Amino acid sequence: MAMILVTGIIAPVQGLQAQDPITEIIKAGVKKVIKAVDLQIQRFQNETIWLQNAQKTLENTMSKLKLDEISDWVEKQRVLYQDYYEELYTVKSIISYYNSIKDISGKQVRLVKEYKKAWGLFKQDKHFTADELSFMGKVYAGILEESAKNIDQIFLVINSFQTQMSDAKRLEIIHAAHHYYIFVRKK
C-alpha cells in the first residue's frame, strides 16, 4: 500500500526533471521514508517468523511432554501387570507341581508301609538265615535311602519357588522321582 502511494508521489516528481532543489529534497525524503517503511515491514516479517518458530517449538515441546507422560504411564502399567502375571505364574506352577508331588509323597508312604510289612514277614519267617535277612535288610535300607534322596529332591523343588530354578529342572526332578517309584514297584 505504501508502495502505491509513494509511486503516485514520485512519478509526477520525476517528470519535473530535477529542476527544483525542493523537489530533490522531497524525492530524497520519500526514498528515506520508503526505506524506513520497507525496513519496518522486514522487521515485522522477521518477528512473525520468529514467533511462528517459537510457537512450533512450544507445540513440539508440549507434544513431547504429553508423549513422555503417556509413555511413563504405560511403563508403570507394564511393570505393575508384569509383577502380577509373574505372581500368577508362580502360583500356577505351584498348583501344577502339587499334584505330582502329592502323588510321589503317597508312593513314598506306601513304599515304606509295604517294606515295613514285608520286613516284618521276613523276620518272622524261619526259612531265612541271619545272613539272608542281613542281606535283605541292606537291600531294603538302600531302597529306602534312595527314596529319602528322592524326597530330598522333591523338597528342593518345593523350596525352589523361593529361590530360582527353571521349570525344566523342576520337571526333571519330579519325573526322576516318579520313575524311581515306578521302577521300585516293578521289582
Side-chain angles (χ1 to χ4, degrees):
M1 173 105 169
M3 201 59 144
I4 295 171
L5 180 64
V6 171
T7 307
I9 295 173
I10 294 179
V13 172
Q14 286 178 348
L16 295 174
Q17 301 250 338
Q19 295 175 356
D20 188 10
I22 293 180
T23 308
E24 289 296 322
I25 293 173
I26 293 175
K27 189 176 168 185
V30 169
K31 283 183 182 180
K32 286 184 181 182
V33 169
I34 291 172
K35 285 183 182 180
V37 169
D38 189 40
L39 285 174
Q40 189 64 30
I41 290 172
Q42 285 179 0
R43 282 189 201 116
F44 285 141
Q45 286 175 339
N46 287 341
E47 287 177 10
T48 303
I49 291 170
W50 183 86
L51 288 172
Q52 288 173 341
N53 288 338
Q55 179 183 5
K56 285 180 186 177
T57 302
L58 185 60
E59 287 173 353
N60 289 341
T61 301
M62 289 176 65
S63 294
K64 184 180 182 313
L65 287 173
K66 277 293 184 191
L67 288 175
D68 288 346
E69 187 178 307
I70 291 169
S71 174
D72 289 344
W73 181 84
V74 167
E75 179 62 21
K76 287 176 185 174
Q77 296 300 312
R78 186 191 67 75
V79 167
L80 174 73
Y81 287 109
Q82 178 182 0
D83 293 344
Y84 173 73
Y85 285 120
E86 284 177 4
E87 288 175 16
L88 279 180
Y89 180 76
T90 301
V91 169
K92 176 195 165 281
S93 296
I94 290 171
I95 290 170
S96 44
Y97 296 133
Y98 171 77
N99 288 331
S100 295
I101 292 171
K102 180 181 167 189
D103 182 48
I104 291 170
S105 298
K107 288 178 181 179
Q108 174 71 18
V109 169
R110 284 191 303 273
L111 179 71
V112 170
K113 284 181 181 178
E114 288 173 7
Y115 285 171
K116 185 176 181 182
K117 182 180 175 182
W119 181 246
L121 291 174
F122 293 146
K123 284 181 15 178
Q124 291 176 359
D125 193 337
K126 302 296 178 200
H127 294 99
F128 294 113
T129 66
D131 288 341
E132 290 172 330
L133 286 174
S134 175
F135 178 75
M136 286 188 279
K138 289 178 185 175
V139 170
Y140 283 134
I143 291 171
L144 292 175
E145 187 178 317
E146 286 300 314
S147 294
K149 287 179 184 176
N150 280 336
I151 293 297
D152 288 342
Q153 291 294 313
I154 294 299
F155 282 128
L156 179 67
V157 169
I158 292 170
N159 291 333
S160 72
F161 289 106
Q162 296 169 354
T163 59
Q164 293 295 320
M165 178 184 285
S166 71
D167 285 340
K169 185 65 177 169
R170 284 187 191 102
L171 287 173
E172 180 183 322
I173 291 170
I174 290 171
H175 287 304
H178 183 71
H179 288 298
Y180 173 77
Y181 290 108
I182 292 171
F183 172 77
V184 169
R185 293 289 299 182
K186 287 183 179 180
K187 295 291 176 184

